[in-house]
Amino acid sequence: MAKPLGARLFDWVATRFPNLPWGEATRKGLLSIQRQMPRSHAEKYELKTIWYWYPLYCLGGLAFIAFLVLTVTGIVLGFFYVPDGNVTYSATGEPGSKAFQSMQFIMNNVPLGAVTRAMHHWSAHMMVATVFLHMCRVYFTGAYKKPRELNWLLGVVLLFITLAFGYTGYLLPWNDLAFGAGRIGLELSNSVPFANLLTSPLIFGDFSLGPNALAHMYWFHVFILPLVGVGLMVLHMALVWIQGIAEPH
Amino acid sequence: MVAAEIKEVRGRAPAQEEKVGFPTQYGPVRSDRKPGAHLVPHELLRDTVVILLMIAIMWFLSALGAPSLGHPANPTSQPFTMPDWYLLWTFGLVKVSVIFPVWTIDMSFLGLGVVTLEPGFWAAQLTIVPLIALLVLPFIDSGFESRPAKAAVRSAIGVAGLLWVFGASLVAIDTNVDQFYGTVSGGQSLGQMWLRLWFILPPILGGLATYVALRRLAFKPMRRTNTYMAAVGLGAFAIYSALTFGVWPLMSGDRAIWALPLPADAWLAALLGLLGALCALIFYAVTYLDEFRAKQFLLVSVSLVIFVLSGLIFYGLSNDRASISPALQTLAIHSQWLVGFPLFALFAAYFGLRTPYSDYEYKLNECYQCGRCHLVCPITKADADALGGLNLVYNVYKQQHDGVPMWACLTCDACSAVCPLDINYSVYVLTERAKTMRAGANMGEYLAKARASAGTGTLARPRVTAADGGQEEKPHG
């Protein structure tokens, strides 16, 4: 008697992917005392009212949702963006660069390109705002105290990663704003003696603002920061799941 | 009837507390048991709504406010740019760090050449300050999580930090606007020195005000804090006045502020003295007088100062007297601080002076039924009526005490000692007992008088005699 196709496929995978009791171990882990599905504060303490500041506990989740939107729109934009910051001058003396031209292409020629960029822009603003407000909530409720110090430190690093995302991101179009912001950042980096020998080449590629800076910013924005950021975000949320949300009574 | 109710309650679905990880609910079977708001669907629904709202806002902004691309980068020109709002504070630190000295350190003996510490160096140091503060925060602040209102110091520092960041952003905006659109503000903007005070004064004053307000909200007496606040107002006023009208003009050799004819100088000194006297009076009242007299004193002195000040201003404005007008103008330039400090002292005094009410009703709302008061209560071990268990605080809150906790309580405060929320049970019990006793005494008096006047047929209106402190009632015709 031949088994149905689905069962045969399952067996095919199961013989090649050994049947370790992972599922069972996960289930037990989730159902053990401290790792149940999170219960609401109101549920746990039989409160009939929703606390007035409960929505403030959504802010971390909102930041993550904004990050998801940023990831999707960023992947789309990445198909069309060219990280080339060599400034060339036209016959009439107009400056331009391939990076800026690719931005113009996204805005004018790519279907829904302008909307995608706008979504990327506004969800970046939204993410910074929600991360900042999330930090304020954690601070004002004292949720960073023992045993959550480690998660607070992760959060501080994530806050600065978010700001770095923002900074590297608005340097990418290589327009007036990008150049001005890059100049301020580079001046700040250059003016610290000795440390600038490391920071300026590492972050901006050189001691003066040029195409190297754009290449560095691009690599930070699309690879290094997402890599570090996603890893820390997973840790951050795993710790919240394990430790539970702080309940300031 | 009661038995049927208990049976009905016990027949319901098991309470959350019987599951693992929930605190045990002590006390008799409660007839009002209802589960709290559930994670699913209540909070899930709310979170979904909030998330969708945020995404909708993002779509809305994307549809209406597409970010402009601007002009391509031009290394040869330096156009007007403003960083995004979340980096403005760093830019503000860059702008304000010009007040730091430029140090040139000759390190050629180490083969490192001459090192110059420019404003940018100080700006970088200032930028690192908040990062370090955030990193060390959990290690210098121990204890447990709590509501903002219950941690006045932490909340005050937080508000001060937010105001610091906000002030730095304002400086960035103002200097940029001033630099590129000087004609718009006509050179009459805040001015560099006063602008930099944004870093110092709003954080300090905002933090102190938060501290006062939260201590007030937490219903704690704060006489001493109140004195400190008034002293801060007085001291800040004195320091500001001395710096502005004394030290600064002398040091800079700039007599523009101070270049008034002699009678105007005297008028200015008098006006400053009046405002300073107001601060001093507030300080005196909250420090040395009792609550009632301090309130009276504050009311009278503040009204007097405001009356005199407005009279002088009216006099100067209406008559355009040469001697007082320059003084008033000089005062008006600095009005935001010179009026702010006395006002701060006044508000601190007003909010701090009031005696806390009975804090029980406020704190009772915080009870989350941990049941520790039951565990330590000696009465529940001895009184037959209480053997079934009492959750003292919660039962009183639900008005289910039916006399047992109210009259059997020893007010030993063992429950208050273990209460995680510092709810003083004995305060409530003694207050309630006193209330009841007072009501009983009044009732007894009433009945006695009613009995005495029974023969006259005026039961409804007992006679009040002179001995009671009232006037002798004349018998009706």
Side-chain angles (χ1 to χ4, degrees):
Chain A
M1 185 65 193
K3 283 184 176 178
L5 182 65
R8 272 188 290 152
L9 269 177
F10 184 81
D11 286 350
W12 191 91
V13 174
T15 47
R16 283 150 187 83
F17 195 70
N19 185 18
L20 291 176
W22 288 339
E24 183 65 13
T26 310
R27 196 183 66 80
K28 276 186 181 166
L30 290 181
L31 292 180
S32 60
I33 290 177
Q34 291 302 323
R35 291 175 181 72
Q36 295 176 11
M37 276 297 289
R39 292 177 298 270
S40 72
H41 184 89
E43 196 175 5
K44 194 166 171 182
Y45 296 106
E46 291 192 12
L47 306 176
K48 276 60 173 186
T49 50
I50 296 288
W51 214 354
Y52 67 96
W53 60 15
Y54 275 5
L56 297 183
Y57 284 72
C58 295
L59 286 166
L62 286 181
F64 185 66
I65 300 286
F67 181 73
L68 292 184
V69 175
L70 281 166
T71 309
V72 173
T73 51
I75 287 171
V76 173
L77 292 173
F79 285 123
F80 304 100
Y81 176 72
V82 180
D84 184 351
N86 276 309
V87 176
T88 52
Y89 295 90
S90 66
T92 56
E94 292 289 314
S97 60
K98 283 191 177 162
F100 191 80
Q101 284 165 13
S102 69
M103 291 303 294
Q104 282 176 324
F105 182 75
I106 289 172
M107 292 295 281
N108 301 328
N109 298 21
V110 176
L112 292 179
V115 171
T116 312
R117 175 161 177 262
M119 271 308 260
H120 200 73
H121 177 92
W122 287 116
S123 48
H125 280 274
M126 206 61 92
M127 181 174 172
V128 176
T130 47
V131 163
F132 184 72
L133 291 175
H134 173 62
M135 191 196 70
C136 288
R137 197 280 295 166
V138 170
Y139 175 83
F140 281 107
T141 53
Y144 52 82
K145 296 184 181 186
K146 184 185 173 185
R148 298 184 178 82
E149 296 102 324
L150 191 63
N151 222 8
W152 169 263
L153 295 185
L154 280 176
V156 172
V157 176
L158 280 171
L159 171 71
F160 275 79
I161 283 179
T162 310
L163 293 183
F165 259 125
Y167 182 72
T168 55
Y170 74 77
L171 254 70
L172 294 186
W174 214 232
N175 51 11
D176 271 354
L177 176 66
F179 214 77
R183 196 180 272 137
I184 294 170
L186 193 60
E187 274 173 17
L188 212 58
S189 169
N190 276 343
S191 61
V192 183
F194 308 123
N196 62 1
L197 301 177
L198 182 67
T199 53
S200 294
L202 190 69
I203 301 174
F204 294 96
D206 202 353
F207 293 98
S208 60
L209 200 62
N212 272 355
L214 184 64
H216 279 234
M217 289 299 150
Y218 178 71
W219 191 238
F220 274 118
H221 192 79
V222 302
F223 185 74
I224 294 177
L225 289 176
L227 188 72
V228 180
V230 168
L232 293 184
M233 269 178 226
V234 168
L235 270 181
H236 194 69
M237 287 185 282
L239 268 175
V240 171
W241 184 287
I242 290 167
Q243 292 180 326
I245 289 174
E247 291 170 331
H249 291 297
Chain B
M1 177 66 192
V2 177
E5 193 182 332
I6 290 174
K7 196 179 172 188
E8 196 265 335
V9 168
R10 285 192 176 145
R12 290 183 200 163
Q16 291 287 356
E17 71 193 35
E18 288 157 33
K19 293 181 184 170
V20 180
F22 284 89
T24 311
Q25 173 64 57
Y26 294 92
V29 176
R30 283 170 15 212
S31 55
D32 65 332
R33 184 185 297 292
K34 287 190 198 97
H38 286 298
L39 182 72
V40 181
H42 294 81
E43 299 213 353
L44 187 71
L45 192 65
R46 188 203 59 211
D47 289 1
T48 312
V49 167
V50 173
I51 287 169
L52 290 178
L53 182 67
M54 186 189 72
I55 293 178
I57 290 172
M58 282 173 355
W59 274 111
F60 187 74
L61 289 170
S62 303
L64 290 185
S68 114
L69 209 46
H71 301 284
N74 191 354
T76 56
S77 75
Q78 200 161 356
F80 172 63
T81 55
M82 191 85 94
D84 273 358
W85 56 271
Y86 50 85
L87 292 172
L88 272 180
W89 61 279
T90 328
F91 196 47
L93 293 181
V94 173
K95 292 289 176 196
V96 84
S97 56
V98 294
I99 63 169
F100 289 108
V102 177
W103 285 349
T104 309
I105 305 167
D106 189 3
M107 298 188 79
S108 50
F109 62 93
L110 291 173
L112 294 170
V114 177
V115 171
T116 310
L117 300 183
E118 292 164 356
F121 170 77
W122 301 113
Q125 306 310 309
L126 284 177
T127 311
I128 294 171
V129 168
L131 174 63
I132 293 175
L134 289 177
L135 286 178
V136 300
L137 175 66
F139 304 105
I140 57 174
D141 188 15
S142 59
F144 297 100
E145 62 263 26
S146 57
R147 304 177 181 202
K150 299 194 99 185
V153 175
R154 189 213 305 144
S155 303
I157 293 174
V159 168
L162 287 180
L163 285 175
W164 189 71
V165 171
F166 188 66
S169 308
L170 274 187
V171 169
I173 294 171
D174 192 85
T175 38
N176 254 16
V177 170
D178 206 29
Q179 189 177 339
F180 287 93
Y181 299 110
T183 50
V184 175
S185 52
Q188 295 291 318
S189 67
L190 286 173
Q192 288 300 306
M193 184 188 164
W194 313 120
L195 195 57
R196 281 172 209 135
L197 288 178
W198 272 104
F199 282 90
I200 304 160
L201 290 174
I204 291 176
L205 297 185
L208 289 176
T210 309
Y211 182 74
V212 172
L214 290 185
R215 283 293 296 271
R216 179 73 191 87
L217 191 68
F219 294 91
K220 286 178 182 166
M222 45 177 300
R223 195 56 185 251
R224 188 166 295 172
T225 319
N226 197 13
T227 300
Y228 293 155
M229 294 295 151
V232 164
L234 178 62
F237 180 83
I239 292 170
Y240 183 89
S241 304
L243 280 177
T244 311
F245 300 106
V247 179
W248 184 256
L250 285 180
M251 276 183 66
S252 62
D254 173 23
R255 295 272 299 165
I257 293 174
W258 194 235
L260 301 174
L262 197 59
D265 275 0
W267 273 116
L268 186 60
L271 290 168
L272 284 176
L274 199 61
L275 286 169
L278 178 60
C279 286
L281 287 177
I282 292 166
F283 177 71
Y284 168 74
V286 298
T287 312
Y288 295 110
L289 296 182
D290 63 45
E291 183 199 336
F292 183 68
R293 285 188 180 279
K295 272 183 185 167
Q296 283 183 329
F297 192 84
L298 272 184
L299 196 68
V300 172
S301 57
V302 167
S303 321
L304 210 62
V305 169
I306 290 176
F307 180 74
V308 172
L309 204 58
S310 39
L312 284 176
I313 290 171
F314 182 73
Y315 174 73
L317 289 180
S318 59
N319 298 341
D320 197 21
R321 301 295 169 126
S323 53
I324 190 173
S325 294
L328 283 175
Q329 281 171 11
T330 311
L331 206 62
I333 293 170
H334 302 282
S335 60
Q336 70 266 38
W337 305 118
L338 291 181
V339 178
F341 290 127
L343 268 185
F344 175 77
L346 184 65
F347 278 114
Y350 174 73
F351 280 110
L353 258 182
R354 301 172 66 186
T355 313
Y357 306 118
S358 163
D359 57 353
Y360 198 76
E361 287 82 358
Y362 172 74
K363 287 192 161 184
L364 208 53
N365 285 298
E366 298 176 357
C367 170
Y368 59 97
Q369 311 152 38
C370 69
R372 281 182 219 181
C373 48
H374 165 78
L375 288 179
V376 297
C377 180
I379 295 300
T380 59
K381 318 295 183 293
D383 195 310
D385 287 336
L387 275 179
L390 295 169
N391 184 330
L392 297 173
V393 177
Y394 188 80
N395 288 352
V396 171
Y397 181 50
K398 289 287 176 186
Q399 298 189 334
Q400 293 184 346
H401 47 66
D402 56 20
V404 178
M406 180 62 72
W407 297 105
C409 175
L410 302 173
T411 63
C412 67
D413 259 344
C415 47
S416 312
V418 294
C419 181
L421 293 168
D422 297 331
I423 300 174
N424 284 316
Y425 186 70
S426 62
V427 169
Y428 175 75
V429 167
L430 291 175
T431 312
E432 285 298 307
R433 282 182 188 169
K435 224 184 274 177
T436 316
M437 295 291 278
R438 218 176 293 126
N442 290 345
M443 182 54 76
E445 199 178 324
Y446 179 85
L447 286 177
K449 282 175 182 167
R451 231 173 270 123
S453 60
T456 64
T458 53
L459 182 63
R461 292 182 67 215
R463 221 171 257 256
V464 183
T465 60
D468 291 321
Q471 294 222 327
E472 183 85 31
E473 200 176 70
K474 292 204 172 86
H476 297 289

